[in-house]
Amino acid sequence: MRFELTADQRLLQTATADYLEKSAPLGVIRALHDEGRTFDRDTWRRGAELGWTSLVVPEETGGGSVSGEGVVDATVIAEQFGRGCAPGPLAVVNVVAAALAEAAGADRHAGLLGRLLDGSMVAAWACCAPGRGWDPEAGAIEARPDGDGYVLDGTHDGVEHGGDADAFLVLAHTPEGLSQFVVERDADGVSVLPLESLDMVRGFARVDYAGVRVPATALVGAAGGAAAAVERQFQLAVVLQCAELVGVVERVLEFTRQWMFDRYSFGRPLASYQELKHRMADMTLWSESGQATMAAAARAVQERRADAGELVSVAKSYLGQRATDIIQDCVQLHGGLGVTWEHDIHIYLRRATVNRLMWGTPSAHRRRIADLLNV
Amino acid sequence: MTATTTAVSDATGMESVDSFRLRAREWIPANLRRLADLPADEGAQRNVSSDESAWQRARALQRTLYEGGFAGICYPKEYGGLGLTSAHQRAFNEEVAGHEMPMRLNVPTFTICGPTILDMGSEEHKREHLAAAIRGDEVLVQFLSEPGSGSDLAGATTRAERDGDVFVLNGSKIWSSGAYAADYALCLARTDWDAPKHRGLTMFLMKVHQPGVHIERIKQVNGGDEFCQEFFDDVVVPASAVVGEVGGGWAVASRQLFHERNAVGGGSPYFSGARAEGRRGTETDALIDLVRRTGRADDPYARELIAEAHALGVIHGHLVDRVTAGMRTQKMPPTAGSLIRLFHGESATRQAEIALELAGPAAAMSAPDGPDTREVGVSFLFRQATQLGGGSTEMARNIISERILGMAREYAADRDVPFNQVRHGR
């Protein structure tokens, strides 16, 4: 639960919650999964009208926050996505939109940005080497200068919603250093392989680039100057992911608590056994701590503070681990029902597990913290 | 000595936080010593040492703060405080980091006893004792636990019998930190043995050193001897010492426990001095120093452990902020202080474990010419104190599940039973 939302943020929160409940209840998510689909384009477009895609993009470039604090606003949406394990490319579209809007010479990509904002197109951030986690140096493919443009060769793996993307923001090394390019899905030499995902509807893909020719205007920002933007995009992706974890955990604890009141054993509710009460107390503490650290990270990213990178990693290292700890113990409290396909808890466990693994595992974030502390 | 920077007030007459901060920034270096400059024998042990001189030093420092206009920041003006907000206190805490402060007066004097007197005491109690504490003239202490009742605090069997204008106390209290150096104590005693246990209690604000009070120090595992046990033998306490109502002692104790949870968890607005939680604290620096001395700074596992310990400290600060906001906006009940209390116990335990792992065999012994890692081993031995002091973590879990999550109360065999019919162990 958020304590200090503005009236506009509350409106955004309620509108998103209501719309997700109507358009994408768990039954719809199961149906999408059965059909091998990730999300519904019309639903996404209407979500964009509610503000899902535009909060972290400045007004001058077509976006707009509701509170003046777009990153915080976006975490309000992400939390609701977590509560419903909602379908849709929320994190990646926001990350790519922010990247396009913030880069020097942003008007080069105004067309794509506009279509991301209105929900008619989807873009994904391709930045991880196959089999590797978050490591931008290793994840950057090769971009060789060729005439007026560049030729891209290499492979990206674990591209979130890569199978749905109309365009990619591609991390690459040019001779000048770390750079980012916009590459169309249907450019010659691009092939996309959707991968089977642990999540019901959040897809991942492998993207291969075989001699993909792009003009210099495909660069986002200056050649070789992407390192700071990449770190910023990573922070945004992680903080949205953490907000989603907060929502997932909050919802699971709500229905598990209710189950403990309703389920009787030996003539008394589960909620009357001290051993179980104490486990719920621990889980409540972890959930509250997770909300606290996510909110602090969101504020730091919002304000572009120097410690934002550290706080984001603190939040992810904690929430990534605790979220799955909590949900697994809630599975235990549900008994045999908890490990059935029919019970909904696995849908939440799937989302939490995927979030734990992507954008840096808790362990990887701890190593990042140690680096930032100059141990 | 007062600061030369002028105070800037807002429309309500209250000085702005920024103005207060600037005055503190000017005053502190001119009046308080830097911790780094303290003589070695006053240095590392200054906050844990249990000799009388350390308490005298704390009183002197408190007087310095009082004379400089930086004491009792959140206490009302009419009782000797400054009547400012927790934001002012936070600003002062940030500015005073790295300087000598009377840290031992925070718990329980300013964060537990003071606020309880403020909530429940008589006008006379407040005028006399709060002002004296803020001036550095009085140290307060809690006489709550007894040898026979720890978590079951309301099961107190210290007896207070009315005799005209006075009460006569007999019994024993325990775990009262620093009682030997204190002036007044909040003492919970039983005045009615026919009433059920919570309804027969009365709280007294009693003089510590007086005829019939015998104090013994208790030596702890870590070598400290701050804990005391008191024995009362026909101790005479005036009726004016009653805090709240006769028979209403549990209501006072409940406020005390509320303030204690906040104090132990790190959420009290009356805490004055730099806190470790919420930023890169001395704990993290100590761990980094430790792995450098033991040659493990490049070991990926050691690095992850340091990051984990550091993250817990940072998140503790975030949780304090969240729970404080939750209680202020009434979206969380006042019992939510149990969350920070539990986090503190759990994280301190994990941090002690991590320090032990990082020190390795060096924590088991110390050589005169080797890295000084003895403290790590001793802290580990004393680890459970963070899960016991200030209310056990089991009680915190009861409170969270019952008061916050609304789950069934634990069965109590003594509920609504006249206390003189309740069974006791030996």
Side-chain angles (χ1 to χ4, degrees):
Chain A
M1 191 209 288
R2 301 258 185 157
F3 299 143
E4 287 167 322
L5 292 182
T6 66
D8 288 337
Q9 284 174 328
R10 265 201 303 279
L11 205 63
L12 179 71
Q13 183 186 46
T14 332
T16 298
D18 291 349
Y19 181 59
L20 283 176
E21 205 172 316
K22 190 160 57 74
S23 65
L26 294 178
V28 166
I29 290 168
R30 285 175 182 268
L32 283 169
H33 175 80
D34 290 345
E35 296 159 16
R37 295 168 63 205
T38 51
F39 69 100
D40 178 76
R41 290 268 180 169
D42 287 334
T43 306
W44 179 251
R45 214 175 353 252
R46 282 197 297 274
E49 287 168 19
L50 292 177
W52 293 358
T53 52
S54 50
L55 297 164
V56 291
V57 172
E59 273 177 44
E60 311 85 81
T61 37
S65 67
V66 301
S67 69
E69 301 191 320
V71 175
V72 179
D73 294 348
T75 61
V76 172
I77 305 285
E79 230 176 89
Q80 295 306 316
F81 264 64
R83 286 183 63 88
C85 296
L90 183 73
V92 282
V93 166
N94 274 284
V95 164
V96 174
L100 297 181
E102 287 177 16
D107 42 349
R108 279 208 299 272
H109 303 293
L112 173 59
L113 179 57
R115 285 189 286 278
L116 293 180
L117 295 180
D118 69 19
S120 59
M121 282 179 89
V122 165
W125 188 19
C127 53
C128 290
R132 298 283 288 263
W134 172 251
D135 180 352
E137 283 301 322
I141 61 163
E142 192 204 347
R144 185 169 40 85
D146 181 65
D148 290 346
Y150 294 85
V151 175
L152 309 183
D153 278 290
T155 302
H156 280 129
D157 206 352
V159 181
E160 192 169 312
H161 281 291
D164 308 303
D166 303 297
F168 297 98
L169 178 63
V170 175
L171 184 64
H173 274 301
T174 62
E176 295 87 354
L178 214 52
S179 308
Q180 299 193 97
F181 294 90
V182 168
V183 176
E184 307 278 327
R185 161 72 181 87
D186 50 14
D188 283 342
V190 172
S191 54
V192 178
L193 176 68
L195 307 171
E196 200 173 315
S197 171
L198 197 63
D199 191 81
M200 296 290 273
V201 288
R202 175 160 295 160
F204 297 92
R206 190 163 74 211
V207 183
D208 279 298
Y209 315 85
V212 176
R213 197 170 290 278
V214 292
T217 52
L219 271 167
V220 177
V230 166
E231 168 66 20
R232 166 87 181 154
Q233 290 160 223
F234 178 63
Q235 290 175 7
L236 187 58
V238 177
V239 84
L240 291 176
Q241 183 188 50
C242 286
E244 202 177 64
L245 282 169
V246 160
V248 170
V249 163
E250 192 178 66
R251 182 73 196 105
V252 170
L253 283 177
E254 278 170 18
F255 68 66
T256 303
R257 172 170 167 256
Q258 191 56 49
W259 163 255
M260 290 176 70
F261 285 125
D262 297 344
R263 172 79 177 189
Y264 277 63
S265 294
F266 304 99
R268 39 191 281 214
L270 295 185
S272 69
Y273 287 92
Q274 189 175 43
E275 204 273 339
L276 306 185
K277 283 162 62 184
H278 281 194
R279 273 157 61 186
M280 278 302 278
D282 282 331
M283 292 192 274
T284 301
L285 173 68
W286 301 337
S287 167
E288 290 293 336
S289 304
Q291 300 194 38
T293 187
M294 180 278 289
R299 184 143 301 285
V301 173
Q302 171 68 48
E303 294 168 0
R304 297 173 189 269
R305 294 214 315 259
D307 62 353
E310 180 193 323
L311 290 186
V312 156
S313 288
V314 164
K316 176 66 193 283
S317 68
Y318 187 82
L319 268 164
Q321 181 68 48
R322 287 307 196 191
T324 48
D325 290 347
I326 290 170
I327 302 171
Q328 293 286 22
D329 204 34
C330 287
V331 169
Q332 175 74 16
L333 290 169
H334 278 86
L337 275 180
V339 288
T340 62
W341 184 267
E342 188 189 348
H343 198 284
D344 290 330
I345 195 168
H346 73 94
I347 301 178
Y348 294 90
L349 182 57
R350 286 167 187 277
R351 179 61 57 92
T353 306
V354 163
N355 277 1
R356 169 177 164 164
L357 298 172
M358 305 306 291
W359 303 118
T361 61
S363 168
H365 279 278
R366 282 193 289 272
R367 292 195 296 274
R368 229 173 87 92
I369 293 169
D371 292 345
L372 291 167
L373 289 173
N374 291 317
V375 170
Chain B
M1 199 187 307
T2 47
T4 50
T5 309
T6 324
V8 179
S9 309
D10 67 9
T12 63
M14 184 183 285
E15 179 176 8
S16 75
V17 174
D18 286 342
S19 161
F20 185 71
R21 180 191 290 278
L22 288 177
R23 286 200 303 118
R25 189 172 294 172
E26 181 182 307
W27 182 85
I28 290 164
N31 293 276
L32 298 175
R33 295 188 295 177
R34 289 186 52 77
L35 291 175
D37 299 339
L38 295 190
D41 60 329
E42 281 184 63
Q45 294 300 307
R46 72 198 165 273
N47 287 327
V48 288
S49 130
S50 49
D51 63 79
E52 190 66 40
S53 67
W55 284 99
Q56 292 305 333
R57 178 70 194 149
R59 288 172 188 252
L61 281 167
Q62 184 63 30
R63 175 159 284 280
T64 304
L65 289 169
Y66 174 71
E67 287 168 355
F70 292 100
I73 292 172
C74 287
Y75 278 94
K77 281 183 180 168
E78 57 267 43
Y79 307 127
L82 302 182
L84 297 173
T85 67
S86 56
H88 293 83
Q89 182 67 65
R90 206 154 44 230
F92 181 79
N93 293 352
E94 285 164 13
E95 294 299 325
V96 84
H99 291 84
E100 191 188 17
M101 279 286 287
M103 300 303 281
R104 59 181 57 219
L105 298 183
N106 277 317
V107 184
T109 299
F110 289 122
T111 56
I112 303 175
C113 299
T116 303
I117 293 170
L118 206 50
D119 292 344
M120 309 297 284
S122 68
E123 190 62 22
E124 186 191 334
H125 293 150
K126 294 182 209 176
R127 290 198 184 279
E128 189 178 328
H129 298 284
L130 296 181
I134 290 166
R135 285 195 309 269
D137 289 342
E138 255 184 37
V139 174
L140 306 172
V141 66
Q142 310 193 82
F143 289 170
L144 288 178
S145 298
E146 296 185 359
S149 60
S151 290
D152 184 14
L153 200 60
T157 57
T158 290
R159 177 184 295 270
E161 283 173 331
R162 183 138 208 169
D163 183 8
D165 287 344
V166 300
F167 286 83
V168 179
L169 271 60
N170 283 284
S172 179
K173 292 287 175 180
I174 197 168
W175 312 133
S176 35
S177 309
Y180 67 92
D183 302 287
Y184 278 83
L186 284 167
C187 179
L188 186 66
R190 188 161 303 279
T191 42
D192 183 350
W193 296 71
D194 297 321
K197 78 173 176 184
H198 291 90
R199 279 176 256 158
L201 298 165
T202 302
M203 188 71 76
F204 297 90
L205 182 53
M206 65 176 280
K207 214 168 169 14
V208 172
H209 298 283
Q210 61 169 311
V213 177
H214 171 68
I215 300 179
E216 278 184 12
R217 310 269 286 262
I218 301 169
K219 186 168 178 181
Q220 295 150 226
V221 169
N222 65 353
D225 59 354
E226 275 302 280
F227 281 153
C228 296
Q229 180 169 3
E230 299 78 29
F231 300 89
F232 305 141
D233 183 14
D234 286 338
V235 177
V236 177
V237 173
S240 64
V242 172
V243 181
E245 305 291 323
V246 172
W250 187 247
V252 186
S254 297
R255 289 310 293 169
Q256 218 167 325
L257 295 178
F258 164 77
H259 291 301
E260 181 170 54
R261 282 192 294 268
N262 279 341
V264 172
S268 171
Y270 302 103
F271 185 100
S272 197
R275 287 180 188 284
E277 318 92 50
R279 65 181 147 282
R280 179 174 177 175
T282 49
E283 283 89 351
T284 300
D285 289 336
L287 290 181
I288 293 174
D289 193 41
L290 180 63
V291 292
R292 286 186 182 150
R293 281 184 288 138
T294 52
R296 290 183 66 189
D298 294 324
D299 172 353
Y301 180 57
R303 294 171 69 84
E304 274 202 46
L305 287 178
I306 289 180
E308 184 189 347
H310 174 74
L312 287 171
V314 172
I315 295 169
H316 189 184
H318 297 157
L319 183 67
V320 168
D321 290 345
R322 175 172 169 81
V323 172
T324 307
M327 293 197 292
R328 187 179 61 239
T329 56
Q330 298 188 335
K331 301 222 167 78
M332 279 182 164
T335 43
S338 294
L339 290 166
I340 40 185
R341 188 275 166 273
L342 181 57
F343 190 97
H344 170 71
E346 293 289 297
S347 61
T349 298
R350 179 66 187 146
Q351 286 163 333
E353 185 77 27
I354 286 173
L356 191 79
E357 177 64 31
L358 291 175
M365 61 202 85
S366 62
D369 55 351
D372 180 16
T373 45
R374 203 189 76 94
E375 201 50 48
V376 172
V378 173
S379 294
F380 179 77
L381 298 183
F382 198 54
R383 189 187 80 174
Q384 290 309 114
T386 58
Q387 304 240 23
L388 293 166
S392 70
T393 43
E394 284 80 7
M395 291 305 289
R397 290 187 178 94
N398 274 358
I399 294 169
I400 293 166
S401 55
E402 293 171 7
R403 310 294 177 82
I404 299 177
L405 300 177
M407 296 181 161
R409 295 285 294 269
E410 282 304 303
Y411 167 73
D414 57 4
R415 190 162 295 157
D416 298 326
V417 176
F419 194 75
N420 52 19
Q421 292 171 30
V422 171
R423 294 173 58 173
H424 298 279
R426 271 190 275 191

